[in-house]
Amino acid sequence: MDQEYDVIVLGTGLKECILSGLLSVDGLKVLHMDKNDYYGGESTSLNLNQLWTRFRGNDKPPAQLGSSRDYNVDMIPKFMMANGTLVRVLIHTNVTKYLSFKAVDGSYVFSKGKIHKVPATDMEALKSPLMGLFEKRRARKFFVYVQEFNENDPKTHGGLDLHRVPLCILNVIYIILKYGLDDNTIGFIGHALALHRDDSYLNEPALDTVKRMKLYAESLLRFQGGSPYIYPLYGLAELPQAFARLSAVYGGTYMLNKPGCKVVFDEEGKACGVTSEGETAKCNKVVCDPSYLQDKIKKVGKVARAIAIMSHPIPNTDGSHSVQVILPQKQLGRKSDMYLFCCSYTHNVAPKGKFIAFVSTEAETDHPETELRPGINLLGAVDELFFDTYDRFEPVNESSSDNCFISTSYDATTHFESTVTDVLALYTKITGKTVDLSVDLSAARAAEE
């Protein structure tokens, strides 16, 4: 450990492991450490015994739940957009060779007290009760506008400047009202398709929402399935380990179970190393999750969640073995959306016949059990139910002054787009470069050799 590195990464959460892999590929000498003896950090996956220890102490799980090792319960469950940024990072780095994925069965939205499928085909759209006949015609015109929109071709913009922050009408509301859509359709588009977490997008430039809708449509087409999402077999803990392998291939060094990792600063207040167990590794930059530099972060929220083990799919989801259900804020009278996530033995995260469901949201009260009740009520009968909360943090330091690059905490959403946005922004801060996701790194490396 008493060596000098370009970068020391602390924590083996997904964000930190992606960065470790990307930086190693760039030719930097990377040391990756974790105070825990397992990969994943806060985004780890737990077997049944570990889940029980975490939430029930010394109690033992009931025998009827099956073998402990058949469970892989993600602590930060998120699906991946099939054509999203994370998938493009996986392809860019060739990490896909370490992983196997399976499409997610369905994408649903909660509206007017019921769960409805987000249409995946024209036929489903015509049959969907989410909109009336005339509303569907108006919505179709708007969807055609989105599909034909090309940011680099003003002729497809319909005379609108989608880049500008609106003073009055040049915003998302104007575009949608131009096509005469009602409030329910606006909510459906913004939350179920563009995947906004709250209604603040209505006052932002329209370009982001249009891009999000195009991504949803492109992801839906990629596998021709019932949803735009994919998910790794055996759970998300496979992802950090895959990026750890990538880092190791390019010379990265890993050390787990290193207690008391402490960042060392020089006289100018810049990070210059990390100490653990009486040893010090020197470095130029430190990358870490919020738990390692608690004096350089601030609390920005709290996530409330319920974890359920069930013996059936979520009712009213067409028997889907894997599914996301979005409960838009207006449908619940809340400030932010609520999310249902469900996976099962078909993705190898539970024994045959068992399903793992999560209900999560940005906490708005100090009573998570009450706050999560609208989502829990949609699950039907549950075998076991656990409640949990965790604080969300973001950095307040100036990384250019102290050489510390701190990731933000995971949000309540059940998809990965915001997670990867944080990773790529950190990469740019660390290196001064942007990741060119159009390049196949394995092919580039073979060409160099």
Side-chain angles (χ1 to χ4, degrees), residues 186 208 305:
I186 292 170
D208 179 51
R305 61 182 176 178

Side-chain angles (χ1 to χ4, degrees), residues 22 35 112 116 140 197 242 245 249 294 296 314 351 414 419 431 447:
L22 291 174
K35 57 195 172 188
K112 300 178 182 178
H116 300 278
R140 183 181 180 279
R197 290 180 285 175
R245 294 188 191 103
V249 166
Q294 297 186 22
K296 294 180 180 290
I314 294 177
T414 48
T419 298
T431 66

